Amino acid sequence: MQRNEKNYETIPAGSLGVIALEGCRSLGEMVDKYLVNFRSEREHKHLNDIAFQGYHKNTYLVDCSTPRFGTGEAKGIINESVRGFDLYLMVDVTNYSLSYTVCGHENHMSPDDHYQDLKRIIAAAGGKARRITVIMPFLYESRQHKRTARESMDCALALQELTHMGVDNIITFDAHDPRVQNAIPLNGFETVRSAYQFIKSILTEVDDLMIDSDHMMIISPDEGGTNRAVYLANVLGLDIGMFYKRRDYSKIIDGRNPIVAHEFLGSSVENKDVLIIDDMISSGDSMIDVATELKKRKAGRIFVVSTFGLFTSGLEKFDKAVKEGLIYKVVTTNLTYQTPELLSKPYYINCDMSKYIAYIIDTLNHDLSISDLLDPYERIESLVNRYKAERMNK
């Protein structure tokens, strides 16, 4: 079912309110503009009913703040009533660009700081909201998703803590391991794919792709991301290849076992355009290592595609990889903080997710199913068919 076929005559779960915490403010403002447009263009025969009171607004953003004291302590403040609201809280726990002062020293905000601010705003609502949904694109501590030694299970603890505070639903994107939702089996948890936006952005930027198994291939950089690659390969009708990381388990460097080599499983990549699909680019070392191995196997253009572009070690190594011909394009979303430097790179393709998030919020506020939004198979198929038709007509 397409979005425009949905029955939006259903009564909203509550007056819609979007709270974008400071680290997610720009994305929240973009989502808000789409929501305003959706509802200003929509005509309801029930708009004058009391159940639809406040349905049309100039903005759905709720004014809030998390000011800090000189010691670094903070509090959450909501500056307007949220009684009876259907609240959607947006937070980017990876936004390191924000800072605060601790006893005269500047501190950059860490994921822990953003998570604490989220809890402060939930606490400030004081149980007055009718329903609370947290939209956390990069799931807090999601890489710590299983116990391999005597260690903490931070992501599972965070999910349980949020639900105990009154959060009804948690929406994340491309969770590192979706099985972490087993920590809260009685609460709503959705992990959303970015596949449609990836394909749409790439096809918009590159007009000479041959989307078939003879000219293109999907690659998973490790065994953990195989499901992601398999889904996209099936949708596009392409072959899949996989690397697995051979590690030295006798050593620990920077908290992890160092990678000795990347071993490849799959058919020939010679002269094929290759999409390396992963959930995140952290330092970028793994992606560049995989691209190097693919070039040794005579691959064609290499697209590095990831939901979250963190670039924790900077962009210099990607500049070098592009200059050396290892990487053709880098594709990530705006679900996490993007530096002006990244946005200015000629090899970078930005996938805007704000409209998609607005669709999800608008649909959930009407208590409608988002199943068709979570599975973009038909939309990707239609998009690829249009792209192929346009290429044939050139």
Side-chain angles (χ1 to χ4, degrees), residues 146-302:
K146 63 182 178 181
R147 179 174 283 153
T148 56
R150 189 165 293 143
E151 56 191 11
S152 60
M153 297 286 287
D154 297 57
C155 186
L157 285 172
L159 294 177
Q160 291 182 353
E161 190 173 20
L162 290 176
T163 56
H164 290 161
M165 291 184 72
V167 173
D168 298 281
N169 301 295
I170 296 171
I171 297 174
T172 189
F173 285 75
D174 220 344
H176 192 67
D177 190 336
R179 289 174 295 184
V180 75
Q181 67 187 287
N182 293 337
I184 50 168
L186 300 181
N187 294 85
F189 181 97
E190 301 288 354
T191 178
V192 185
R193 290 189 180 99
S194 307
Y196 173 76
Q197 285 74 19
F198 285 149
I199 300 303
K200 182 179 179 181
S201 298
I202 292 172
L203 297 188
T204 301
E205 292 288 330
V206 185
D207 60 3
D208 61 346
L209 291 171
M210 299 284 286
I211 308 174
D212 57 58
S213 57
D214 293 327
H215 300 90
M216 186 177 284
M217 196 168 176
I218 304 294
I219 300 292
S220 174
D222 54 43
E223 61 277 15
T226 306
N227 288 341
R228 215 171 283 115
V230 166
Y231 176 82
L232 200 57
N234 286 338
V235 172
L236 297 176
L238 305 177
D239 287 336
I240 181 174
M242 187 195 84
F243 282 87
Y244 70 90
K245 299 171 183 175
R246 188 149 50 86
R247 295 180 181 271
D248 183 355
Y249 286 97
S250 66
K251 301 176 183 177
I252 296 179
I253 299 175
D254 294 333
R256 59 184 179 179
N257 303 107
I259 298 169
V260 176
H262 288 82
E263 306 290 353
F264 181 66
L265 300 174
S267 58
S268 173
V269 297
E270 188 171 353
N271 297 325
K272 292 181 181 179
D273 289 331
V274 173
L275 273 63
I276 308 175
I277 305 291
D278 206 359
D279 61 331
M280 72 179 75
I281 298 172
S282 184
S283 65
D285 290 337
S286 292
M287 285 291 202
I288 292 173
D289 288 345
V290 168
T292 302
E293 292 297 322
L294 289 170
K295 280 297 183 182
K296 289 179 182 177
R297 292 165 174 80
K298 301 180 181 179
R301 294 176 296 184
I302 295 177

Side-chain angles (χ1 to χ4, degrees), residues 38-57:
F38 292 164
R39 298 197 167 188
S40 63
E41 295 170 358
R42 187 179 301 148
E43 294 184 3
H44 272 286
K45 60 183 178 182
H46 304 299
L47 272 182
N48 295 323
D49 292 357
I50 192 169
F52 282 85
Q53 186 176 6
Y55 189 79
H56 285 166
K57 295 180 182 178

Side-chain angles (χ1 to χ4, degrees), residues 288 315-327 345 347:
I288 292 173
L315 296 171
E316 291 78 9
K317 61 183 66 178
F318 284 92
D319 293 341
K320 182 181 177 184
V322 171
K323 187 176 180 180
E324 293 175 351
L326 293 177
I327 294 174
K345 296 296 182 182
Y347 57 80

Side-chain angles (χ1 to χ4, degrees), residues 88 133-137 169-173 190 192 360 364 370:
Y88 294 82
T133 300
V134 169
I135 299 177
M136 186 184 292
N169 301 295
I170 296 171
I171 297 174
T172 189
F173 285 75
E190 301 288 354
V192 185
I360 292 172
L364 288 177
I370 60 171

